[in-house]
Amino acid sequence: MMSQDQPSTEDRCGRFWNGMELLKDVTEKKHLLPTGLEGIDTLLGGGLRRGHLTEVTGPSSSGKTQVCLHSASLVAAKHLGVVMYLDTSNSFSPSRVATIIDGTPDLFGHKAKGCEIEDVMRSIICESVFDIFALFEVLNQLEISLSNDKVNNGGSKICLLIIDSISSLLAPIIGGKYPQGRSMMISVAMILKKLADEHNLSVLVTNHMVSAGNGAVKPALGESWKAVPHVRLVISRECRSNICTATVLKHTLLASGSTVKFTVPS
């Protein structure tokens, strides 16, 4: 069994690591960002790992966007860093973020004040991105800004990048309209993993489900994308309920098939 102090073969990106790089990985890139959803954080051993790309997939209305909003809210409220939220389908809801913060009194030890909620909002940078070309532009600009140390808020650097949803941007280009669609998809994957690795970010993306035949469903974007995320979770919601189930499809350290129930607050 691989030690948790060792980067996986996939993390190594096909290159050799020297001793100092291994030490840096252990000391700087093992930090976790809580999602604020207790079940998911327990399942993942504390939350979203920095330096990794985590995918949350599931059917429509299963709670994928809620995972994103809770993660953004908690990371910002705990002053862990700046959150960049790329909204591809008008899913970002400032009022929902305010409700999440207001409904989590232990964040501040008291009911959130207006100024505290405003502070959280200032730590979440939201940008609408509606096609693959806009995504490339935003990611390239983000890489330049991170390299120049310009993406910060009061001294806090960006630590979490959320794309909700990645599949709404990538699915249209791999259906035949764009001959280079799959190459573009892999380019996006490489940029995201480079950003995560070089700038110690946690990258969180959502993906929808498609038919796998015989009534079964599977994550969209095919086999080429399947190898990209370090972590893949599939979530489902019980009918007419706020109770959800998260199942590990892929993880560098956990066994596939591990499950946990969690509640998405109303």
Side-chain angles (χ1 to χ4, degrees):
M1 181 178 294
M2 180 176 59
S3 167
Q4 292 194 14
D5 287 342
Q6 293 288 333
S8 68
T9 301
E10 187 172 341
D11 289 340
R12 296 172 188 264
C13 300
R15 65 183 179 87
F16 291 105
W17 285 44
N18 63 40
M20 286 304 299
E21 288 176 317
L22 289 170
L23 178 61
K24 184 176 180 180
D25 184 76
V26 171
T27 58
E28 296 183 12
K29 296 189 176 181
K30 299 298 181 182
H31 298 159
L32 298 165
L33 301 176
T35 67
L37 297 167
E38 184 177 354
I40 290 182
D41 288 340
T42 299
L43 180 66
L44 298 180
L48 306 171
R49 188 182 182 204
R50 297 182 70 159
H52 274 193
L53 190 158
T54 300
E55 177 191 271
V56 175
T57 186
S60 177
S61 302
S62 59
K64 301 185 295 295
T65 293
Q66 295 305 315
V67 173
C68 294
L69 292 174
H70 274 80
S71 300
S73 302
L74 202 71
V75 167
K78 286 183 172 289
H79 304 290
L80 299 176
V82 176
V83 178
M84 174 163 279
Y85 196 116
L86 302 186
D87 183 6
T88 72
S89 53
N90 292 319
S91 63
F92 183 78
S93 170
S95 60
R96 180 59 178 153
V97 171
T99 299
I100 292 170
I101 298 303
D102 196 48
T104 315
D106 57 325
L107 282 174
F108 305 106
H110 56 260
K111 186 177 178 64
K113 301 175 182 178
C115 60
E116 290 169 328
I117 293 178
E118 290 176 5
D119 189 47
V120 171
M121 294 297 188
R122 281 193 290 268
S123 294
I124 302 175
I125 303 169
C126 183
E127 185 155 353
S128 296
V129 179
F130 297 127
D131 62 53
I132 186 67
F133 305 106
L135 179 62
F136 274 124
E137 182 177 350
V138 170
L139 293 180
N140 287 331
Q141 185 58 52
L142 175 60
E143 186 170 15
I144 293 171
S145 297
L146 286 169
S147 298
N148 294 330
D149 197 24
K150 290 183 178 180
V151 184
N152 60 68
N153 177 46
S156 297
K157 298 180 180 180
I158 183 171
C159 66
L160 176 60
L161 171 63
I162 297 173
I163 306 179
D164 184 27
S165 74
I166 192 74
S167 54
S168 67
L169 300 180
L170 297 181
I173 68 170
I174 59 176
K177 181 179 179 180
Y178 296 95
Q180 304 301 319
R182 292 196 178 276
S183 296
M184 295 167 72
M185 179 177 72
I186 297 304
S187 294
V188 168
M190 292 177 65
I191 294 171
L192 291 177
K193 296 183 84 168
K194 181 182 179 184
L195 287 170
D197 179 62
E198 294 188 356
H199 300 283
N200 201 24
L201 310 180
S202 180
V203 178
L204 173 63
V205 302
T206 63
N207 188 3
H208 68 273
M209 306 288 277
V210 295
S211 173
N214 298 320
V217 293
K218 62 181 180 181
L221 304 181
E223 294 297 314
S224 297
W225 179 262
K226 181 179 178 180
V228 172
H230 298 93
V231 177
R232 298 189 101 185
L233 296 180
V234 59
I235 63 175
S236 59
R237 186 194 294 258
E238 295 181 10
C239 183
R240 299 177 182 176
S241 170
N242 288 336
I243 299 175
C244 302
T245 299
T247 303
V248 175
L249 294 183
K250 175 187 176 184
H251 199 289
T252 55
L253 299 172
L254 299 177
S256 297
S258 301
T259 65
V260 70
K261 288 188 180 295
F262 65 98
T263 301
V264 176
S266 301

